[in-house]
Amino acid sequence: MTLLGRSIVSIDDLSNEEINDIFDLADALLEKGIRSARNLGQGRVLATLFFEPSTRTRLSFEAAMARLGGQSISAWDAQATSLAKGESLADTVRVVSKYSDAIVLRHGWDGSAQLAAEYSEVPVINAGDGAHEHPTQTLCDLYTLRKRHKTLRGLKVALCGDLEKGRTIHSLAFALARFKANVFFVPGNGKEIPDYMRRRLERDYSARIRRVRAGILSALFGKSEDDEIGNQVDAIYMTPTEPNQLSLITQEGTTLRDSETHIELTISGTEIKALYVTRLQKERSVEGEEEDEEGKYPKITKEVLRIPEFRDISILHPLPRVDEISPEVDKDARGAYFEQAGYGIPIRMALLIRILGLGYRDADEVLRVPYTRQAHGKIVEPEMGIQCANRSCISRREPSFARRRYEVVDGDALKLRCLYCDFEASPSWFGVLKSRKYYPIQFLHKLKPSLENIVFFPSTAAAVKAGFTKGQANLGSRKAASQNKAEALIQ
Ligand code: NCD
């Protein structure tokens, strides 16, 4: 499959081969000089719609298009577009796609890029959708890591800071899992990776995840690993599931201790090759909730650089930094963040070349491959019932344009993964459309209705409101009868 005409909404939309191909093309552009590509995009128009602040992403996309000989049209203030008059994002994109060959979108709602890809007549590239994903930043991040460390396989990378709302972290974590890197998640106070991400990393990417003690990484909080308190700092360690993983860890000098329920290990220094730091995403939090207390958020200071085990690391940051990296680090060769921002040009040029087919297609032809989000499990598209659990999801913000689409994740408890924002909801009830009866979710496996024939409800009140009445599940066993009785009591 080629990238021609395809939208890039999630890092999942690019295979490892396609990512490597973009990197090879970026290498070639740097080698030959980026001016060598100056005629490839003549006559092409890129629309950049940036409804949240941006410096690097918008300007590097526009510079990349200019370097290819194409042009950009840009809207970077929602107040200056018809969105301010109440126009939907879906309509905005439908119109802009008539004026351009591709759209680059940044928007504050999770899943907005996907909605745009569904309505656009040209490919859409996600330049950050709320707290969800930022796949092209991931390309710059991986490219920098590959340049500095040659390979991603087995590379030990610490992702630090706002892991909950940092969209660059989300896309990068999935990509690192796919390239079989080892990741330490080192959150600022309360800013851990969301549970739905953790489950997906384990379920869809076969990653193995354990809670560990931060050990040497306590230094990022101004603490010593020997100090009792310092060593209480928690991290999460993610490894690709491969044989001999445990023996690898002990060989490399970490301390391993078996406890009854889980294995604890302490991170030692020599293994870590890269520290990727992010800023607290204050704009995505309830006002006043986010106080950056001293010693609770990971930071790179000149003291951290003095630690002998960090001699050969590289320090990355998607930027903008606030105070996570002290300016004293800038002079140090280990700081890779400005280089990383610079790679935005060859990487985004390479991506545009592939998506627009520059250099090998008729310049007038606009191609768009219809967008579908990847999912491993069964998909349901209920017309009514349960909503996405995430208030910032585009499916809640533009419900008349977004389709309700969920992947059924059938584990210990059934969950519905929203295919716009990835949040998972746990419905307690389901209703059968034909009979208009509703049942407790535990009965789904027994009744086995076809997925097209059911809707999910968060509560009985929601089911009743939708016109459903309580069903009697005659499951033919004593256990089911007692379950039925118990359900009756609950109500
Ligand atoms: C990031 C973003 O917008 O998500 N910036 C970027 O694109 N390089 C990171 C951030 O804003 O913290």
Side-chain angles (χ1 to χ4, degrees):
M1 206 147 127
T2 76
L3 275 181
L4 187 66
R6 272 172 42 203
S7 291
I8 308 300
V9 166
S10 158
I11 195 68
D12 278 357
D13 296 326
L14 293 163
S15 68
N16 286 13
E17 293 69 37
E18 285 160 349
I19 293 176
N20 283 328
D21 166 65
I22 290 167
F23 292 169
D24 291 345
L25 186 52
D27 280 345
L29 286 165
L30 287 176
E31 220 165 273
K32 280 198 222 144
I34 50 173
R35 289 175 63 81
S36 62
R38 64 180 171 275
N39 296 322
L40 287 185
Q42 262 176 19
R44 299 298 188 103
V45 175
L46 181 71
T48 55
L49 301 180
F50 276 68
F51 301 129
E52 274 196 336
S54 169
T55 305
R56 275 149 291 273
T57 310
R58 180 169 71 87
L59 292 180
S60 65
F61 261 114
E62 291 178 4
M65 196 58 181
R67 296 274 184 205
L68 291 166
Q71 303 212 319
S72 300
I73 52 171
S74 188
W76 40 266
D77 176 5
Q79 290 309 311
T81 70
S82 292
L83 287 176
K85 298 181 189 166
E87 186 170 46
S88 65
L89 177 66
D91 282 356
T92 306
V93 160
R94 265 198 278 218
V95 171
V96 174
S97 70
K98 293 196 179 294
Y99 306 156
S100 56
D101 297 298
I103 294 176
V104 181
L105 175 74
R106 170 168 292 186
H107 194 286
W109 295 336
D110 304 359
S112 48
Q114 180 172 330
L115 182 92
E118 288 168 1
Y119 282 87
S120 171
E121 291 173 20
V122 296
V124 171
I125 302 172
N126 182 4
D129 61 326
H132 183 224
E133 285 216 41
H134 192 347
T136 69
Q137 178 62 44
T138 295
L139 295 178
C140 302
D141 303 340
L142 294 178
Y143 189 65
T144 311
L145 287 171
R146 201 179 81 153
K147 282 257 178 227
R148 290 239 169 173
H149 302 280
K150 306 288 173 258
T151 176
L152 297 170
R153 181 177 271 270
L155 191 72
K156 292 203 166 84
V157 184
L159 302 184
C160 316
D162 193 340
L163 313 184
E164 185 196 10
K165 301 262 168 69
R167 55 196 174 197
T168 67
I169 293 278
H170 300 164
S171 298
L172 181 57
F174 291 128
L176 287 172
R178 267 183 18 209
F179 279 97
K180 307 239 176 283
N182 295 5
V183 178
F184 297 104
F185 292 101
V186 188
N189 193 20
K191 296 287 156 195
E192 304 213 11
I193 51 164
D195 284 346
Y196 73 83
M197 253 192 86
R198 217 177 133 148
R199 282 193 289 270
R200 253 190 95 204
L201 284 164
E202 289 174 318
R203 191 178 67 224
D204 298 345
Y205 296 76
S206 318
R208 177 157 185 244
I209 292 184
R210 282 161 292 167
R211 190 160 283 284
V212 296
R213 286 187 311 265
I216 196 143
L217 292 175
S218 307
L220 272 58
F221 298 85
K223 298 185 173 109
S224 149
E225 66 171 315
D226 304 324
D227 129 18
E228 275 288 292
I229 303 170
N231 225 354
Q232 281 169 13
V233 176
D234 261 358
I236 285 176
Y237 184 37
M238 176 178 85
T239 46
T241 358
E242 278 178 331
N244 302 327
Q245 205 45 252
L246 288 182
S247 58
L248 241 172
I249 292 164
T250 36
Q251 270 165 27
E252 289 181 8
T254 48
T255 50
L256 202 64
R257 183 149 53 87
D258 250 313
S259 75
E260 262 170 38
T261 49
H262 65 290
I263 299 166
E264 274 185 27
L265 68 132
T266 304
I267 303 168
S268 78
T270 42
E271 335 164 17
I272 293 165
K273 295 288 179 256
L275 299 174
Y276 184 98
V277 197
T278 57
R279 100 192 141 83
L280 186 64
Q281 305 285 301
K282 283 192 173 153
E283 71 276 30
R284 300 198 199 288
S285 305
V286 181
E287 214 178 313
E289 184 196 274
E290 303 301 332
E291 281 316 314
D292 178 9
E293 281 176 60
E294 201 48 45
K296 299 253 171 114
Y297 200 84
K299 288 184 179 146
I300 313 283
T301 55
K302 62 179 193 308
E303 287 73 35
V304 170
L305 291 185
R306 276 197 215 111
I307 296 173
E309 287 92 335
F310 289 161
R311 219 174 19 240
D312 301 321
I313 54 163
S314 47
I315 300 163
L316 283 81
H317 194 304
L319 302 177
R321 71 171 149 186
V322 182
D323 58 358
E324 310 78 50
I325 300 182
S326 143
E328 287 154 319
V329 181
D330 300 355
K331 297 184 284 290
D332 194 290
R334 286 169 285 184
Y337 32 97
F338 291 117
E339 170 186 324
Q340 182 187 357
Y343 289 142
I345 300 294
I347 287 292
R348 291 181 170 118
M349 283 173 78
L351 187 66
L352 290 171
I353 289 174
R354 289 293 184 248
I355 289 178
L356 297 174
L358 303 184
Y360 53 93
R361 270 197 87 81
D362 178 349
D364 290 333
E365 203 175 337
V366 176
L367 206 110
R368 171 194 165 259
V369 177
Y371 183 77
T372 326
R373 184 81 201 270
Q374 306 285 326
H376 290 70
K378 289 198 175 118
I379 310 260
V380 285
E381 298 196 19
E383 279 162 33
M384 59 167 93
I386 203 154
Q387 280 187 319
C388 175
N390 173 11
R391 281 176 190 280
S392 300
C393 178
I394 192 77
S395 67
R396 303 268 303 250
R397 299 300 185 134
E398 295 201 355
S400 36
F401 292 98
R403 286 181 296 163
R404 290 172 196 228
R405 276 184 97 234
Y406 304 98
E407 178 187 5
V408 180
V409 181
D410 212 356
D412 291 341
L414 181 135
K415 289 197 180 351
L416 297 176
R417 169 189 162 216
C418 170
L419 286 175
Y420 283 102
C421 74
D422 289 318
F423 267 54
E424 291 173 346
S426 306
S428 305
W429 307 89
F430 72 94
V432 178
L433 283 170
K434 278 190 194 140
S435 63
R436 309 295 283 185
K437 301 270 187 225
Y438 71 88
Y439 304 89
I441 200 76
Q442 299 88 306
F443 288 8
L444 192 62
H445 287 301
K446 310 248 167 139
L447 291 178
K448 292 197 178 64
S450 71
L451 285 176
E452 302 80 64
N453 193 26
I454 54 175
V455 288
F456 295 94
F457 297 111
S459 62
T460 53
V464 172
K465 199 170 163 213
F468 283 68
T469 52
K470 186 173 187 309
Q472 288 298 323
N474 181 10
L475 301 172
S477 78
R478 208 183 292 165
K479 193 170 160 223
S482 68
Q483 244 173 338
N484 251 339
K485 215 162 156 191
E487 292 303 337
L489 284 175
I490 292 168
Q491 291 171 71

